Amino acid sequence: MKVLVINGPNLNMLGIREKHLYGTETYADLETFIREAAKRLGLDIELFQSNYEGAIVEKIQEAYGVMDGIVINPAAYTHTSVAILDALKAVALPAVEVHLTDVSKREPFRQVSYAGMACRARFMGLGFEGYEKALEYLKETLSGD
Ligand code: DQA
């Protein structure tokens, strides 16, 4: 099972950005965490991070016919990007949304999730663990499909 894990804008600044919200671990630490979780679950993963909406759209498109599922933290694009929503709908791969923080308890503008409308599940407020839960969920989903 091949899973594409996408992280959106400013997640490369983990460890530097708003530590009270996102903690002190870095994006490299997050990559290590995800790789180890995927290994435990026996999933083949590809990690991708970009600060560009179009690059994320293209990566989702490239997953068509190649990947079995997608885990995505679209970061700020969660709340703005119909293009990412449309890309997820276009490839129609099982997708799971992740947020490090609990966006439901944050500012009103974070209450909309466009990408989430094309996702089967959402894990938020669990920090890095959310990615592990998303991978576990996808593994179960893909096994059952
Ligand atoms: C985030 C939440 C978003 O609202 C924010 O723009 C991010 C990170 C999270 O992981 O908690 O950049 O997706």
Side-chain angles (χ1 to χ4, degrees):
M1 288 176 196
K2 289 190 203 157
V3 177
L4 174 62
V5 182
I6 300 176
N7 279 296
N10 300 306
L11 289 168
N12 58 315
M13 295 293 280
L14 286 177
I16 298 168
R17 73 181 292 206
E18 300 176 281
K19 290 182 193 144
H20 59 291
L21 289 174
Y22 299 109
T24 53
E25 287 185 288
T26 65
Y27 180 70
D29 294 332
L30 177 59
E31 282 203 335
T32 302
F33 178 90
I34 296 170
R35 282 189 206 289
E36 283 172 2
K39 202 173 168 189
R40 266 196 308 278
L41 291 164
L43 295 170
D44 187 1
I45 56 153
E46 180 181 343
L47 287 159
F48 180 76
Q49 190 279 327
S50 179
N51 296 320
Y52 297 91
E53 185 177 18
I56 294 170
V57 167
E58 284 183 354
K59 197 71 191 173
I60 294 168
Q61 291 178 3
E62 285 164 17
Y64 181 72
V66 180
M67 295 289 172
D68 300 305
I70 297 175
V71 170
I72 184 163
N73 181 350
Y77 290 139
T78 307
H79 320 298
T80 62
S81 181
V82 176
I84 291 174
L85 167 62
D86 284 351
L88 289 169
K89 282 181 154 179
V91 299
L93 289 165
V96 181
E97 179 185 7
V98 175
H99 297 286
L100 294 162
T101 61
D102 184 353
V103 286
S104 73
K105 301 209 171 92
R106 295 182 63 190
E107 301 94 323
F109 64 84
R110 294 186 207 272
Q111 301 312 312
V112 172
S113 171
Y114 289 100
M117 295 173 196
C119 290
R120 295 190 183 196
R122 183 186 213 203
F123 295 96
M124 56 186 186
L126 303 173
F128 287 8
E129 304 289 329
Y131 291 83
E132 185 166 20
K133 297 257 182 248
L135 290 172
E136 277 169 11
Y137 179 93
L138 262 188
K139 188 181 173 178
E140 278 172 31
T141 302
L142 292 170
S143 310
D145 275 358

